[in-house]
Amino acid sequence: MGRNTYEIMAGHWPDSDHPSARPMNEIPKVVFSRTLKSATDWPETRIAGGDTAEEIAKLKAEPGKDLVAAAAPRSCTP
């Protein structure tokens, strides 16, 4: 996810009592941003600040299963 999506979600999930809050807070998350300096507002979140394609390649090389992308609509347009 990008910085904007992170800021919206980090403002909601950590204190939410929604049934999905626990898994949302426990899964590892990556924020793709060159401007965000800290991602401590939401547990299990790290920042990938380098080239996006290279950062995604690193994530794919890690053990685990699928990657899920959450993004604002403008992130998905050319």
Side-chain angles (χ1 to χ4, degrees), residues 12-77:
H12 173 74
W13 288 114
D15 299 320
S16 175
D17 60 358
H18 189 277
S20 297
R22 184 174 176 183
M24 288 297 290
N25 290 323
E26 291 178 352
I27 61 171
K29 296 166 283 293
V30 179
V31 180
F32 293 91
S33 176
R34 291 185 179 97
T35 59
L36 189 65
K37 301 300 178 203
S38 174
T40 58
D41 296 336
W42 197 10
E44 298 298 320
T45 305
R46 63 182 171 162
I47 299 170
D51 176 78
T52 303
E54 291 176 11
E55 296 285 358
I56 291 171
K58 289 179 197 175
L59 288 170
K60 287 183 172 184
E62 291 180 9
K65 296 197 176 211
D66 300 330
L67 299 175
V68 177
R74 73 179 187 156
S75 301
C76 303
T77 57

